[in-house]
């Protein structure tokens, strides 16, 4: 379809590629008209399809008989006309395949797909014969004795006609001399009637085929004319900067025609656009010689440098242009493959680094795209080496080093990059799927551009340089193709090889923060998916927030700190009670706490029962707490598990100002292993909020309670609550003090392990809430949630370009903001007279959020400021809001260089996601 789309941006490279493609289409139309209608290529393609179907069918007897006959038949043809009869015979066996598939419902999808492909190919060739070559079938049916009655040379004339299949062009011109001589006898009165009828039928079928050929040639000519017209109307001169004699990167429609970036290297994807623009006459010839040719020349190698060192820059133009032997561009493509192989071999990885999608995902869960290259080929010193390996780069390399490329494709297939529609987009070695896994994340996507380039490369390799041949057949290209003959310069300056870092960046391994003893100040771990955030301390306390609302109640209390979601366990025989977290019963047994980028892990062992509590935030606005209970003893253990969390479902300020009043608007509901709560709206402007707690992994009956007063009892705390001594009462509805609490009983055989999960979900409507509940009740949903949390943490490091160690520092600093630490208050601030929150308003600071103040007096502190700004962005990405205030104590001056630098730093970091507010 050539339907125009609304213009938004004009790309120089894409414009050049489009012109080249249109010229190839035009030349392809000429090739189709001049090529035999049917030939060895017909049966060769069928043979490939049949072999693929055989590999998919396996030992299926309903298909194997027909496939065996097809294989024998497809290899029997010798002469050109035998291909026609052969295809007719194979069409019958294709019908048998079709019938076998109809009655065989157990055949897999791939087998059905390839059966349909084989049958479709056979039917297509059969229709082609009906349209253009039925006259040859009629001509061949008469016996030699019958034909000999026409004359002694009639048999040889017929054999001459049947020796070759005509092209559309020759068919449109009319019968060749041999066929014309045969048909001339049909007007003779001396021939037998049956011979006359045979010749008349042959003539009639030939005239119809001639009309069909003329119609097809007319269509091909129209398509070629349309392609040429569209190519001629693309004005490459519009994108040409005549002052610099270079092409701009592109033009944004509606903007001034100014080009701030240019394609100035010969080793770039734009050299094809440069060649076609010169061939069209849109730009002068000297533009080609304006392109820079930076080279690295050492005793070991020579390389023409590109900007990013990607395979795309070197090999994409090779899809259309020939690489003439001993030319500069041919040598550059060869060297690019050699250097890519050497670079990846040093890392024990497959090769083929190029621009492609990688494992970063935006808010719409769409893979991000950028250029990845090899430093030894890149002129850009800041090139990201990845390594991110794209299979399409290796497929293009088939045109340069076919044997090496085939081996590399086999390697890529072995590691799981081969999908049902071809090779997947890429594999990203900068990350791993899971925390314990080896580096390598497969990008499960197909990009049309890269699939198309792969198909063109395969056409050149398997089709005798079909695309290149058609491109160079255009007279305009032939007139300028001598530009591609440019040889490697003989005189060159030898210099020492520039050693650039070629070490694969290590996958960001999270260094866990670990505690085995109590700490006097809580240390926090903040996790978020962008909407739902969770703060948990090394004591097991913390808060859950969703879209600015407190899901659970929380106060900053370093002394008692009773806020959060808790789990109790009780051995029913010994009546010993403990919790996996230090609070509220953390004194019992031995335990440890580990905070990593994706989860918090609490391990405790009491009386040969080991518990492991893992906590994370999922992608679907929920937090997941997975309790793994191991019976390390040699006897059966009966364990009771009780959960507890106090609901808020309101903004933190409202809940702090009027906690008792805020609780009156929450209603609860129980549905088996699901507890639901909603906040009634006080006014139409109030946000609607629903919450649910789901208990998973428990067999048998479950107790619940949603009334905090009945759970705790009179004058009790969490350590001596009434509910810990008696059954839960199952209260729900408009309770005065809402909570979520579950209780379940577990039986653990000796050495047995079991998993129990608690999921806290927040949503805007009941329908959304129940959909999320259903999702978590599916098998393996918990395991996938932890894997996604790991991936999200790695993407955060890449997005902000910070290390896991830096993230740990930011988490520790957040601990001091959430739980104020007097040690961080400088002596100078202590001496300032106490003022109220109102005094901050004149500076645009509300005082509602934790406040981080950094003082700077000279440029030596700029690195600290940059790190603090990164930490501020990291906090906001993880759902923690704080005000950052920078006190600039620079000496008064006219130009104020430090103030300007600080302003630029703030502007630079304002692009980071959730960079938050700052005041200088």
């Amino acid at each position: 379809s050539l339907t125009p789309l609304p213009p938004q941006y004009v790309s120089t490279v894409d414009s050049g590629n489009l012109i080249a493609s249109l010229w190839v289409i035009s030349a392809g139309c000429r090739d189709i008209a001049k090529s035999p209608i049917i030939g060895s290529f017909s049966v060769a393609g069928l043979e490939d399809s049949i072999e693929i179907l055989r590999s998919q069918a396996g030992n299926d007897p309903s298909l194997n008989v027909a496939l065996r006959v097809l294989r024998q038949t497809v290899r029997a043809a010798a002469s050109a006309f035998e291909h026609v009869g052969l295809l007719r015979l194979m069409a019958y066996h294709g019908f048998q395949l079709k019938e076998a598939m109809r009655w065989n419902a157990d055949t897999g999808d791939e087998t059905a797909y390839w059966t349909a492909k084989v049958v479709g190919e056979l039917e297509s060739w059969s229709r082609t014969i009906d349209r253009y070559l039925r006259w040859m079938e009629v001509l061949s049916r008469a016996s030699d004795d019958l034909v000999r009655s026409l004359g002694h040379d009639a048999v040889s004339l017929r054999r001459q006609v049947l020796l070759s299949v005509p092209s559309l062009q020759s068919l449109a011109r009319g019968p060749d001399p041999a066929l014309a001589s045969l048909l001339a006898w049909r007007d003779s009165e001396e021939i037998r009637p049956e011979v006359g009828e045979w010749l008349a039928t042959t003539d009639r079928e030939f005239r119809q085929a001639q009309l069909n050929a003329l119609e097809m040639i007319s269509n091909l000519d129209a398509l070629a004319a349309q392609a040429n017209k569209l190519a001629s109307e693309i004005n490459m001169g519009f994108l040409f900067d005549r002052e610099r004699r270079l092409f701009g990167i592109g033009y944004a429609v509606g903007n001034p025609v100014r080009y701030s970036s240019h394609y100035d290297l010969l080793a770039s994807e734009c050299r094809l656009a440069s060649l076609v623009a010169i061939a069209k006459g849109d730009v002068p010839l000297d533009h080609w010689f304006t392109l820079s040719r930076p080279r690295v020349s050492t005793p070991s190698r020579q390389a023409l440098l590109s900007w990013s060192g990607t395979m795309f820059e070197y090999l994409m133009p090779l899809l259309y242009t020939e690489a003439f032997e001993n030319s500069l561009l041919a040598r550059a493509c060869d060297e690019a493959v050699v250097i890519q192989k050497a670079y990846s071999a040093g890392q024990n990885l497959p090769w083929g680094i190029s621009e492609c999608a990688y494992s970063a995902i935006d808010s719409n869960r769409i893979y991000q795209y950028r250029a990845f290259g090899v430093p030894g080929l890149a002129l850009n010193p800041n090139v990201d080496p990845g390594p991110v390996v794209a299979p399409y780069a290796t497929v293009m390399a088939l045109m340069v080093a076919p044997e090496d490329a085939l081996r590399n494709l086999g390697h890529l297939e072995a590691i799981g990059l081969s999908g049902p529609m071809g090779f997947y987009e890429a594999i990203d070695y900068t990350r791993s799927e899971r925390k314990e896994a080896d580096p390598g994340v497969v990008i499960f996507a197909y990009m049309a551009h890269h699939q198309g380039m792969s198909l063109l490369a395969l056409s050149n390799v398997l089709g005798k340089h079909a695309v290149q041949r058609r491109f160079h057949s255009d007279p305009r290209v032939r007139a300028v193709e001598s530009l591609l003959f440019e040889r490697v310069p003989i005189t060159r300056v030898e210099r020492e090889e520039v050693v650039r870092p070629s070490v694969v960046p290590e996958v960001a391994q999270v260094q866990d923060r670990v505690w085995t003893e109590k700490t006097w100040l809580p240390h926090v771990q903040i996790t978020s998916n962008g909407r739902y955030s969770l703060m948990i301390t090394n004591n097991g306390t913390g808060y859950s927030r969703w879209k600015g609302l407190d899901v659970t109640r929380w106060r900053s209390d370093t002394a008692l700190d009773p806020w959060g979601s808790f789990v109790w366990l009780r051995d029913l025989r010994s009546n010993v009670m403990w919790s996996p977290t230090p609070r509220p019963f953390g004194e019992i047994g031995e335990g440890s706490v580990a905070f990593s980028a994706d989860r918090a892990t609490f391990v405790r062992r009491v009386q040969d029962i080991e518990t492991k509590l893992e906590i994370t935030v999922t992608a679907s606005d929920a937090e997941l707490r997975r309790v793994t209970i191991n019976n390390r003893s040699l006897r059966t253990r009966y364990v009771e598990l009780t959960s507890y969390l106090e609901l808020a479902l309101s903004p933190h300020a409202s809940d702090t100002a009027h906690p008792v009043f805020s609780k009156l608007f929450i209603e609860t509901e129980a549905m088996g292993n699901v507890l639901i709560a909603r906040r009634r709206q006080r006014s139409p402007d109030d946000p609607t909020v629903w919450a649910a707690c789901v208990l998973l992994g428990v067999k048998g009956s479950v107790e619940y309670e949603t009334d905090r007063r009945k759970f705790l009892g009179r004058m009790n705390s969490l350590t001596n609550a009434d509910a810990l001594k008696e059954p839960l009462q199952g209260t729900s509805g408009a309770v005065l003090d809402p909570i979520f609490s579950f209780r379940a009983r577990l039986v653990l055989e000796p050495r047995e392990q079991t998993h129990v999960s608690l999921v806290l979900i927040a949503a805007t409507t009941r329908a959304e809430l129940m959909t999320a509940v259903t999702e978590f009740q599916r098998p393996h949903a918990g395991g996938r949630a932890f894997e996604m949390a790991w991936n999200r943490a790695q993407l955060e490091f890449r997005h902000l370009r910070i290390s896991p160690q830096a993230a740990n520092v930011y988490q520790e600093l957040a601990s001091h903001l959430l739980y104020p630490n007097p040690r961080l208050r400088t002596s100078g601030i202590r001496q300032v007279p106490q003022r109220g929150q109102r005094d901050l308003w004149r500076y645009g600071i509300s005082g509602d959020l934790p406040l981080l103040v950094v003082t700077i007096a000279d440029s030596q502190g700029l690195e600290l400021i940059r790190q603090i700004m990164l930490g501020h962005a990291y906090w906001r990405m993880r759902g923690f809001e704080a005000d950052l205030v920078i006190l600039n104590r620079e000496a008064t001056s006219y130009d104020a260089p430090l103030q300007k630098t600080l302003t630029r730093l703030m502007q630079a970091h304002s692009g980071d996601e959730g960079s938050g507010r700052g005041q200088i």
Side-chain angles (χ1 to χ4, degrees):
S1 171
L2 298 178
T3 304
L5 297 175
Q8 298 294 331
Y9 185 82
V10 182
S11 166
T12 301
V13 171
D14 291 343
S15 299
N17 292 350
L18 178 57
I19 294 172
S21 299
L22 291 168
W23 287 353
V24 169
I25 289 172
S26 178
C29 292
R30 295 192 299 269
D31 274 2
I32 292 172
K34 293 188 294 186
S35 301
I37 297 171
I38 282 179
S40 58
F41 57 87
S42 311
V43 293
L46 272 170
E47 187 173 9
D48 290 340
S49 300
I50 291 167
E51 288 301 319
I52 295 173
L53 178 55
R54 283 186 68 249
S55 65
Q56 294 293 334
N59 297 321
D60 188 345
S62 63
L63 299 176
N64 283 342
V65 175
L67 285 174
R68 191 181 307 113
V69 176
L70 282 173
R71 287 184 70 208
Q72 294 171 351
T73 308
V74 82
R75 297 172 179 176
S79 66
F81 176 68
E82 286 182 3
H83 291 125
V84 177
L86 190 94
L87 292 170
R88 284 292 200 193
L89 179 61
M90 293 174 67
Y92 169 74
H93 297 295
F95 176 77
Q96 290 181 320
L97 283 177
K98 193 174 182 179
E99 289 298 308
M101 286 300 301
R102 180 182 298 179
W103 297 106
N104 192 348
D106 297 330
T107 305
D109 291 340
E110 284 294 304
T111 305
Y113 173 84
W114 284 106
T115 302
K117 281 294 181 185
V118 171
V119 172
E121 286 183 48
L122 290 169
E123 291 177 348
S124 177
W125 285 120
S126 186
R127 288 193 298 271
T128 300
I129 294 170
D130 287 340
R131 184 172 175 81
Y132 302 110
L133 301 175
R134 186 179 292 176
W135 61 272
M136 294 188 75
E137 294 181 299
V138 174
L139 185 65
S140 66
R141 286 174 189 164
S143 65
D144 284 350
D145 291 338
L146 190 66
V147 176
R148 197 173 290 113
S149 66
L150 293 172
H152 66 278
D153 57 346
V155 173
S156 61
L157 286 174
R158 183 176 70 164
R159 186 178 299 112
Q160 183 179 343
V161 172
L162 296 177
L163 278 177
S164 61
V165 175
S167 64
L168 289 172
Q169 216 168 60
S170 62
L171 188 59
R173 285 196 296 264
D176 62 5
L179 180 60
S181 300
L182 280 173
L183 295 178
W185 274 312
R186 72 182 183 278
D187 298 326
S188 174
E189 297 179 357
E190 299 177 358
I191 63 173
R192 293 155 53 181
E194 60 270 24
V195 176
E197 184 180 352
W198 167 64
L199 290 175
T201 305
T202 302
D203 183 60
R204 185 169 58 252
E205 292 291 348
F206 182 87
R207 298 303 173 190
Q208 183 59 50
Q210 185 180 19
L211 292 176
N212 294 337
L214 287 169
E215 180 185 1
M216 177 55 70
I217 289 176
S218 175
N219 292 338
L220 291 172
D221 289 343
L223 177 59
Q226 188 179 10
N228 282 323
K229 180 176 182 294
L230 182 57
S232 64
E233 291 175 349
I234 298 175
N235 181 13
M236 294 292 292
F238 174 73
L239 298 163
F240 190 67
D241 187 338
R242 298 195 177 274
E243 291 183 5
R244 296 190 58 180
R245 296 184 297 175
L246 295 170
F247 276 111
I249 299 296
Y251 168 70
V253 176
N255 287 353
V257 186
R258 296 193 187 98
Y259 303 109
S260 56
S261 300
H262 297 76
Y263 286 109
D264 59 352
L265 295 178
L266 182 65
S268 79
E269 66 273 25
C270 193
R271 71 174 181 269
L272 176 63
S274 298
L275 187 70
V276 298
I278 293 171
K280 280 180 85 255
D282 290 347
V283 301
L285 183 66
D286 60 359
H287 158 62
W288 185 264
F289 303 103
T290 307
L291 295 173
S292 179
R293 293 153 171 81
R295 293 189 304 128
V296 172
S297 300
T298 69
S300 60
R301 64 179 175 87
Q302 302 175 36
L304 186 67
L305 298 181
S306 67
W307 178 245
S308 302
T310 67
M311 291 287 253
F312 176 74
E313 292 169 300
Y314 289 93
L315 300 184
M316 189 279 284
L318 210 60
L319 297 172
Y320 295 90
T321 61
E322 292 184 24
F324 295 98
E325 190 175 359
N326 294 325
S327 66
L328 176 65
L329 289 173
R331 181 74 63 84
C333 294
D334 292 340
E335 287 295 330
V337 174
V338 170
I339 294 170
Q340 284 249 357
K341 285 169 52 186
Y343 176 81
S344 298
Q347 318 302 331
N348 196 26
L349 298 175
W351 53 274
I353 299 173
S354 193
E355 63 175 59
C356 60
Y358 60 105
S359 57
I361 301 175
D362 65 11
S363 58
N364 297 317
R365 302 190 63 76
I366 297 174
Y367 288 117
Q368 301 301 284
Y369 187 94
R370 64 171 300 169
F372 298 93
V374 172
L377 289 170
L379 190 64
N380 177 15
N382 299 317
V383 63
D384 190 344
V388 180
V389 177
Y392 84 91
T394 304
V395 177
M396 288 198 298
L398 285 166
M399 299 181 294
V400 178
E403 294 182 359
D404 292 335
L406 277 176
R407 282 193 292 270
N408 197 52
L409 289 174
H411 187 180
L412 294 173
E413 185 175 9
I415 60 179
L417 260 72
S418 179
M421 309 303 290
F423 281 99
Y424 293 120
E425 170 68 1
I427 179 168
D428 187 345
Y429 282 103
T430 64
R431 290 185 46 240
S432 57
E433 285 281 4
R434 297 177 302 279
K435 184 176 180 180
E436 304 83 7
D438 294 330
V441 176
V442 177
I443 310 306
F444 292 106
Y446 299 103
M447 187 173 182
H449 184 209
H450 297 163
Q451 297 288 86
M453 288 192 291
S454 298
L455 289 172
L456 288 183
L458 291 171
S459 297
N460 282 325
V461 173
L462 302 177
K464 299 178 182 179
H465 308 283
V467 180
Q468 295 171 340
R469 187 178 65 251
R470 289 173 177 173
F471 178 71
H472 281 267
S473 69
D474 191 287
R476 291 164 291 192
V477 176
R478 286 205 302 271
V480 298
E481 70 179 8
S482 59
L483 295 174
L484 303 174
F485 298 166
E486 181 179 352
R487 293 186 177 274
V488 180
I490 298 175
T491 304
R492 60 178 183 270
V493 178
E494 298 285 350
R495 64 182 175 89
E496 293 185 2
E497 185 170 358
V498 178
V499 179
R500 298 185 179 182
S502 61
V503 179
V504 178
E506 292 185 2
V507 177
Q509 296 295 334
V510 180
Q511 303 297 319
D512 294 350
R513 292 180 290 156
V514 180
W515 296 270
T516 56
E517 298 178 353
K518 278 189 175 181
T519 57
W520 72 275
L521 184 74
H523 298 265
V524 307
Q525 172 75 1
I526 303 171
T527 310
S528 176
N529 64 4
R531 300 172 303 277
Y532 192 108
S533 60
L534 170 68
M535 184 276 289
I536 189 164
T537 71
N538 60 327
N539 292 327
T541 57
Y543 63 71
S544 303
R545 287 178 180 165
W546 176 71
K547 293 184 177 180
L549 303 175
D550 281 10
V551 180
T552 61
R553 187 161 284 108
W554 178 79
R555 305 287 186 269
S556 179
D557 184 349
T558 56
L560 299 177
D561 197 18
W563 313 99
S565 300
F566 302 104
V567 174
W568 290 271
L569 294 137
R570 182 162 66 100
D571 189 328
L572 294 178
R573 284 187 175 177
S574 64
N575 208 35
V576 174
M577 182 172 293
W578 73 97
S579 58
T581 56
R583 291 185 189 258
F585 294 108
E587 297 82 4
I588 302 174
E590 298 178 354
S592 65
V593 182
F595 286 164
S596 57
D598 61 320
R599 71 186 73 183
T601 305
F602 297 83
V603 178
R604 187 163 297 278
R605 184 164 181 167
V606 177
Q607 294 186 348
D608 290 332
I609 296 179
E610 184 181 84
T611 59
K612 181 181 180 182
L613 172 61
E614 298 171 284
I615 307 171
T616 193
V617 173
T618 73
S620 53
D621 292 357
E623 66 179 87
L624 172 62
R625 295 171 183 258
R626 182 172 64 187
V627 185
T628 303
I629 308 173
N630 272 299
N631 179 10
R632 301 292 187 182
S633 66
L634 298 177
R635 60 187 177 90
T636 303
R637 309 299 290 269
Y638 300 91
V639 178
E640 183 181 78
L641 182 144
T642 305
S643 69
Y644 171 92
L645 63 89
E646 188 174 345
L647 289 168
L649 302 183
S650 67
H652 183 71
S654 301
D655 187 65
T656 305
H658 303 287
V660 177
F661 180 72
S662 179
K663 296 175 183 179
L664 297 178
F665 294 88
I666 296 178
E667 293 181 354
T668 62
E669 176 187 352
M671 297 175 57
N673 67 331
V674 182
L675 294 177
I676 300 174
R678 76 176 181 96
R679 170 169 288 278
R680 299 193 307 274
Q681 292 178 285
R682 294 170 54 198
S683 70
D685 297 331
D686 283 351
T688 58
V689 55
W690 290 73
C693 186
V694 188
L695 180 64
L696 303 171
V698 174
K699 300 177 182 178
S701 60
V702 175
E703 299 176 8
Y704 69 89
E705 180 58 67
T706 65
D707 190 335
R708 180 171 176 267
R709 184 183 62 83
K710 292 185 178 180
F711 185 93
L712 293 179
R714 184 176 178 81
M715 303 298 291
N716 291 335
S717 67
L718 292 177
T719 58
N720 61 350
D722 287 349
L724 300 179
K725 310 165 192 174
E726 56 190 34
L728 300 182
Q729 299 181 29
T731 309
S732 64
V735 295
L736 296 179
D737 200 348
I739 63 169
F740 279 160
S741 178
F742 276 116
R743 174 169 294 160
R745 290 174 175 81
L746 310 171
V747 180
L748 282 81
E749 298 298 330
R751 305 297 184 183
E752 184 184 0
Q753 173 181 285
T754 188
H755 300 280
V756 178
S757 297
L758 288 157
V759 187
L760 181 60
I761 309 169
T764 305
T765 64
R766 183 187 180 93
E768 291 179 6
L769 189 75
M770 298 313 296
T771 299
V773 169
T774 304
E775 288 292 327
F776 278 103
Q777 289 177 333
R778 294 178 177 175
H780 311 297
R784 286 195 297 269
F786 279 104
E787 289 182 9
M788 290 297 295
W790 164 255
N791 292 337
R792 185 173 63 247
Q794 299 302 298
L795 295 178
E796 288 175 355
F797 295 149
R798 169 176 277 175
H799 175 71
L800 294 177
R801 295 182 178 273
I802 62 175
S803 67
Q805 291 77 13
N808 287 341
V809 173
Y810 303 148
Q811 294 277 10
E812 284 297 319
L813 187 55
S815 304
H816 299 298
L817 291 172
L818 286 164
Y819 294 93
N821 180 4
R823 295 180 182 177
L824 287 187
R825 297 178 182 172
T826 63
S827 57
I829 292 180
R830 283 193 186 126
Q831 295 170 4
V832 174
Q834 294 293 324
R835 297 180 183 273
Q837 182 177 347
R838 187 187 300 260
D839 296 301
L840 295 172
W841 296 351
R842 72 181 73 176
Y843 304 107
I845 305 171
S846 68
D848 296 333
L849 301 176
L851 193 63
L852 176 62
V853 181
V854 186
T855 303
I856 183 173
D858 53 47
S859 59
Q860 292 182 357
L862 286 174
E863 179 59 24
L864 174 63
I865 297 296
R866 191 184 70 84
Q867 290 294 333
I868 290 294
M869 287 184 175
L870 279 173
H872 193 231
Y874 180 74
W875 291 340
R876 292 295 298 269
M877 189 176 289
R878 294 230 158 185
F880 172 52
E881 294 187 353
D883 281 328
L884 171 60
V885 177
I886 301 173
L887 298 179
N888 183 7
R889 294 187 175 179
E890 178 186 19
T892 304
S893 64
Y894 176 76
D895 55 349
L898 184 58
Q899 178 70 19
K900 292 180 180 178
T901 304
L902 290 173
T903 303
R904 286 197 298 269
L905 270 176
M906 288 191 63
Q907 293 171 347
H909 287 281
S910 65
D912 293 330
E913 182 180 342
S915 56
R917 292 174 286 174
Q919 297 289 336
I920 302 179

